[in-house]
Each structure stands twice: as C-alpha cells, then as structure tokens.
Amino acid sequence: MVDQIEVPSDGWEKEEIPDDDFLFMRVHRSFLDSEDKPIPGAFRNRPKVGGGMSTDWAKYSTPEDAWRRARVPEDNIVIRFIAGQVRRVPGRWIEHTPDRKRNNRAHTDVWGEETAEARVRFGRIYQIVPLDDISPIGDSQ
Amino acid sequence: MASLQLPTYLSESIRQAIEESRRILDLKDNWDDEGSPAYEESTWARALDFLTLNAITLWRHRAVWVCAPRILPGPQGSIDLHWRTGGRELLVNIPASLSEPADFYGDNGSCNVIKGKLDTSEDNEWILLWLTR
C-alpha cells in the first residue's frame, strides 16, 4: 500500500527543508543599527496575527532574488540563517510555504511567538550576506 | 516633540540614550515599507519609566548605575530596551498595549538565564541588578 500524496497542480508542494540549508531574509535599513547590523526588532513576524517570520529558502532563491522582492530593494540588506540553527531556537519551527500569489516558490515561514528570547537568539545566528553577493557590480545605477 | 520630564537625578549615559530615543516617535505608520505602525508616546513613556525608576532605585540601594541600554523600535509598535554588557545580554520588550506585561530574556552566554513577563508598574530593580553582576 502506497500513501497518496496530494500534489498541488502547480507542482509547488511543501518540502522538508534540510538542516544545512540557508534561509534568506531581508532587513529594512530602519532595523539596522549604527554599525549596519540588525537590531532585535528586525526579527519579527509579518503580519503580527497569523504570520511567521518571512524568509526565502536557498533551494529556490538566491540572496539577490530575496533582495529584489523588497518594495525598495536599495533600502534593504539580506541576512541568512542556517535552518538547523533556527530550529534550535525555542518555540520556533520552519515551514516551507510557497507563495503562488507572489510567484515565490522559496517562501518559508519561521513560525512561533515573537518572544524576547527568540529575538535575542536570532541576533546570534544570522550572517549578513555581503552586498557584492546581492547586487553584482555593474548591475545597479 | 515629546516632552517627558526626566528625573534630574540620572546618569548621563542613560539621559543621553533617552534623548536619542525620541527619534522613535518620529517614525510614521509604514515606516519600514512593510506596514509597521507608528510608536505611541505612551509606549515610549512606559519604557522610560521602567528604565529610570529601576535604574534610580538600583543606584539608591547599591550605589551602582546600570549602563545605558539601546532604546530601539520593536515589532508592532513595541519598544525594546537592549543591553549587552560584561558578557551578559538582556532584552526587555515593552508592548504597545499598556495592559500587556513586558517580555524579557537575558543570559550570560551560558547557563545563567532569566526570562519571563514583568509587571512594569512594580519594582523591578532586580533585573538591572542581574545585569551588573
């Protein structure tokens, strides 16, 4: 007997994200400190009710893709997390949530309450993606 | 411009952090292009009351000024007080709703952990004392 798996007609079924994979997240400049590092407020759920912390899975997104999805990309940086480290933040879990409406197969929610503990811990495990990796030289202007 | 009256009896570094934090009140709705709301003066004032009252109490009881926190815009109209000092990190989140308790988390990077909810109308000197240990 083989279990039936329901696959959406667009083929964008939810997938399990391996612990070693990267998740990219945009951070608006308003949430950067004087050293251009994210402040704890950057690690927030969007929207507050019913939303998770919005990220893009590296399997289907480059850092540049994530950056270009911003309303004003130039006002944002991109950081990355390692999925397995995110899973170790108490009370948080990851779900691949492809967003057909916004044509974003990479979309991944980090669910869980927006606690002070979670935000402190996120502040210890992110890495800033260098700007050169986001916006290739000659691609701007 | 917000016009909170600060106690005259306050460390200079805390006074300066408070003055700099006034800019939070200049942030308008959708200030991050992602729908974040503006900050209420009542939230800011609650954060500053928590900070100043407990810092002064700590000074009076222990003759120690806690170092100044970063006073930062938090998620959904809340305000964060964030300290990193002497190997310890503490985040106190003052929610936008005045009826909700503050949420806090601190650790020393190892097994000394404090976390929970705070009634900001009560004496919470202990949490600043923890930072100075």
Side-chain angles (χ1 to χ4, degrees), chain A residues 26 32 38 43 50 53 56 72 102 117:
Chain A
R26 289 186 305 279
L32 302 179
F43 307 112
M53 193 167 78
D56 291 327
V72 183
R102 293 179 176 80
E117 178 177 10

Side-chain angles (χ1 to χ4, degrees), chain A residues 114-132:
Chain A
E114 206 170 55
T115 61
E117 178 177 10
R119 294 190 294 121
V120 166
R121 292 184 182 275
F122 286 135
R124 295 174 181 172
I125 61 173
Y126 76 84
Q127 298 172 304
I128 293 177
V129 178
L131 191 60
D132 288 348

Side-chain angles (χ1 to χ4, degrees), chain B residues 105-121:
Chain B
Y105 176 83
D107 69 33
N108 66 345
S110 181
C111 56
N112 188 334
V113 175
I114 57 171
K115 60 181 175 179
K117 304 286 186 184
L118 289 173
D119 179 346
T120 56
S121 68

Side-chain angles (χ1 to χ4, degrees), chain B residues 80-94:
Chain B
D80 286 331
L81 303 175
H82 188 217
W83 286 266
R84 277 201 196 108
T85 176
R88 296 191 173 201
E89 182 171 9
L90 173 65
L91 180 65
V92 178
N93 177 253
I94 308 295

